[in-house]
Amino acid sequence: MTIERIDYYVGPYKIEGTIEYTNTTTAATVPQWTRKVTNGKLTDNSGRIFTSSGTETVKQTAGVDTPYVLEDNVYEMPEGNHTIISDKGTLTLTVQETLIKKYSCEYISKGKLKIEGGSLNGVIDYGNNVCDAQYTYTHQNGATYNLGM
Protein backbone atom coordinates (compact mmCIF):
# COMPACT_ATOMS: atom_id res chain seq x y z
CA MET A 1 0.00 0.00 0.00
CA THR A 2 1.32 3.43 -0.88
CA ILE A 3 0.18 6.70 0.68
CA GLU A 4 1.14 9.95 -1.01
CA ARG A 5 0.46 13.03 1.06
CA ILE A 6 -0.77 15.89 -1.10
CA ASP A 7 -2.00 19.14 0.47
CA TYR A 8 -2.19 17.37 3.85
CA TYR A 9 -2.14 19.31 7.13
CA VAL A 10 -2.16 18.38 10.81
CA GLY A 11 -3.08 21.62 12.53
CA PRO A 12 -0.70 24.27 11.21
CA TYR A 13 1.84 21.71 9.93
CA LYS A 14 2.00 20.77 6.27
CA ILE A 15 3.13 17.16 5.79
CA GLU A 16 4.33 15.82 2.45
CA GLY A 17 5.95 12.67 1.14
CA THR A 18 5.28 9.07 0.33
CA ILE A 19 4.82 6.18 2.76
CA GLU A 20 5.01 2.65 1.39
CA TYR A 21 3.83 -0.34 3.42
CA THR A 22 4.97 -3.79 2.26
CA ASN A 23 3.71 -7.06 3.70
CA THR A 24 6.78 -9.14 4.58
CA THR A 25 4.97 -11.82 6.60
CA THR A 26 6.60 -15.26 6.48
CA ALA A 27 4.45 -16.96 9.15
CA ALA A 28 0.69 -16.34 9.46
CA THR A 29 0.97 -16.25 13.25
CA VAL A 30 3.43 -13.31 13.12
CA PRO A 31 2.24 -10.59 10.71
CA GLN A 32 5.13 -8.40 9.58
CA TRP A 33 5.54 -5.37 7.37
CA THR A 34 7.99 -2.67 6.39
CA ARG A 35 7.24 1.04 6.36
CA LYS A 36 9.35 3.19 4.05
CA VAL A 37 9.18 7.00 4.05
CA THR A 38 10.56 8.82 1.02
CA ASN A 39 10.61 12.54 0.31
CA GLY A 40 9.12 13.22 3.73
CA LYS A 41 8.75 16.90 4.46
CA LEU A 42 7.20 18.84 7.35
CA THR A 43 6.74 22.58 7.12
CA ASP A 44 5.87 24.27 10.41
CA ASN A 45 3.79 27.42 10.84
CA SER A 46 6.90 29.63 10.79
CA GLY A 47 8.10 28.16 7.49
CA ARG A 48 10.87 25.91 8.87
CA ILE A 49 11.31 22.77 6.81
CA PHE A 50 12.24 19.31 8.07
CA THR A 51 12.87 16.55 5.54
CA SER A 52 12.84 12.88 6.47
CA SER A 53 13.38 9.39 5.13
CA GLY A 54 13.69 5.95 6.63
CA THR A 55 12.60 2.33 6.76
CA GLU A 56 11.33 0.27 9.68
CA THR A 57 10.27 -3.35 10.09
CA VAL A 58 7.32 -4.02 12.41
CA LYS A 59 5.80 -7.33 13.47
CA GLN A 60 2.93 -8.33 15.70
CA THR A 61 4.19 -10.89 18.20
CA ALA A 62 1.12 -11.37 20.40
CA GLY A 63 -2.64 -11.07 20.09
CA VAL A 64 -2.91 -12.37 16.54
CA ASP A 65 -5.20 -15.22 17.59
CA THR A 66 -7.66 -12.79 19.27
CA PRO A 67 -8.59 -10.38 16.45
CA TYR A 68 -11.43 -8.72 18.39
CA VAL A 69 -9.31 -8.08 21.49
CA LEU A 70 -6.75 -5.32 20.98
CA GLU A 71 -5.48 -5.13 24.57
CA ASP A 72 -3.33 -8.27 24.17
CA ASN A 73 -1.59 -7.08 20.99
CA VAL A 74 2.19 -6.60 21.15
CA TYR A 75 4.23 -5.02 18.34
CA GLU A 76 7.98 -5.17 17.87
CA MET A 77 10.33 -3.11 15.73
CA PRO A 78 13.48 -5.23 15.38
CA GLU A 79 15.16 -2.92 12.88
CA GLY A 80 14.81 0.51 11.43
CA ASN A 81 16.40 3.86 10.82
CA HIS A 82 15.13 7.34 10.13
CA THR A 83 16.97 10.52 9.16
CA ILE A 84 15.64 14.04 9.72
CA ILE A 85 17.31 17.07 8.16
CA SER A 86 16.65 20.73 8.96
CA ASP A 87 18.48 24.02 8.74
CA LYS A 88 19.98 23.11 12.14
CA GLY A 89 21.56 19.85 10.91
CA THR A 90 20.89 16.13 10.63
CA LEU A 91 19.47 13.72 13.20
CA THR A 92 19.61 9.95 12.66
CA LEU A 93 17.58 7.46 14.70
CA THR A 94 18.48 3.75 14.54
CA VAL A 95 16.93 0.80 16.35
CA GLN A 96 19.74 -0.65 18.44
CA GLU A 97 17.68 -3.20 20.39
CA THR A 98 14.17 -4.33 19.37
CA LEU A 99 11.55 -1.77 20.41
CA ILE A 100 8.43 -3.25 22.03
CA LYS A 101 5.06 -1.49 22.11
CA LYS A 102 2.11 -3.14 23.83
CA TYR A 103 -1.29 -1.93 22.67
CA SER A 104 -2.26 -1.67 26.35
CA CYS A 105 0.65 0.72 27.05
CA GLU A 106 0.70 4.35 26.03
CA TYR A 107 4.43 4.32 25.23
CA ILE A 108 7.19 1.98 24.08
CA SER A 109 8.05 -0.23 27.06
CA LYS A 110 11.32 -1.87 26.04
CA GLY A 111 14.21 -1.52 23.61
CA LYS A 112 16.98 0.89 22.68
CA LEU A 113 17.13 3.65 20.10
CA LYS A 114 20.43 5.22 19.02
CA ILE A 115 20.36 8.96 18.33
CA GLU A 116 23.12 10.72 16.38
CA GLY A 117 23.32 14.34 15.39
CA GLY A 118 24.25 17.71 16.80
CA SER A 119 24.55 17.59 20.56
CA LEU A 120 22.50 14.38 20.79
CA ASN A 121 24.78 11.39 20.44
CA GLY A 122 23.67 8.54 22.63
CA VAL A 123 21.08 5.88 23.34
CA ILE A 124 17.52 6.00 24.62
CA ASP A 125 16.66 2.97 26.77
CA TYR A 126 12.91 2.44 27.16
CA GLY A 127 13.25 0.12 30.13
CA ASN A 128 12.31 -3.43 31.10
CA ASN A 129 8.85 -3.81 29.50
CA VAL A 130 6.90 -1.95 32.21
CA CYS A 131 4.05 0.29 31.03
CA ASP A 132 5.28 3.71 32.13
CA ALA A 133 6.38 7.01 30.68
CA GLN A 134 9.97 6.72 31.90
CA TYR A 135 13.10 6.29 29.80
CA THR A 136 16.83 6.84 30.11
CA TYR A 137 19.11 8.73 27.75
CA THR A 138 22.81 7.86 27.97
CA HIS A 139 25.10 10.26 26.15
CA GLN A 140 28.24 9.00 24.41
CA ASN A 141 30.34 10.53 27.19
CA GLY A 142 28.62 8.28 29.74
CA ALA A 143 26.30 10.89 31.29
CA THR A 144 22.88 9.39 32.02
CA TYR A 145 19.57 11.26 32.26
CA ASN A 146 16.31 9.80 33.59
CA LEU A 147 13.47 11.35 31.63
CA GLY A 148 9.71 11.05 31.19
CA MET A 149 7.32 11.62 28.34
Side-chain angles (χ1 to χ4, degrees):
M1 174 175 71
T2 301
I3 300 169
E4 186 176 354
R5 293 177 171 151
I6 300 170
D7 201 29
Y8 179 73
Y9 289 82
V10 175
Y13 303 106
K14 182 175 184 183
I15 302 173
E16 302 172 77
T18 302
I19 303 171
E20 181 181 336
Y21 290 91
T22 304
N23 183 353
T24 57
T25 301
T26 57
T29 57
V30 184
Q32 180 174 296
W33 59 93
T34 60
R35 178 181 182 269
K36 180 180 179 183
V37 175
T38 54
N39 300 316
K41 182 178 175 184
L42 181 140
T43 305
D44 71 13
N45 54 352
S46 65
R48 286 188 64 204
I49 295 172
F50 301 84
T51 60
S52 69
S53 62
T55 303
E56 301 90 25
T57 298
V58 178
K59 58 185 172 179
Q60 184 177 351
T61 57
V64 176
D65 55 346
T66 55
Y68 301 109
V69 179
L70 297 177
E71 288 76 22
D72 64 351
N73 289 4
V74 177
Y75 302 93
E76 295 186 6
M77 183 183 292
E79 59 187 16
N81 62 68
H82 206 87
T83 301
I84 302 162
I85 301 170
S86 77
D87 59 334
K88 304 288 184 191
T90 300
L91 185 66
T92 301
L93 309 168
T94 305
V95 174
Q96 187 177 57
E97 181 183 292
T98 299
L99 302 178
I100 297 176
K101 169 66 173 78
K102 300 174 189 175
Y103 182 87
S104 60
C105 295
E106 189 170 1
Y107 302 105
I108 294 169
S109 60
K110 188 175 182 181
K112 294 182 180 179
L113 185 65
K114 184 168 180 57
I115 300 177
E116 298 174 284
S119 60
L120 291 174
N121 286 297
V123 175
I124 291 177
D125 185 340
Y126 289 97
N128 58 5
N129 218 14
V130 173
C131 289
D132 62 18
Q134 306 306 306
Y135 65 98
T136 302
Y137 171 76
T138 303
H139 195 67
Q140 67 183 1
N141 68 6
T144 299
Y145 304 90
N146 295 316
L147 304 166
M149 294 194 224

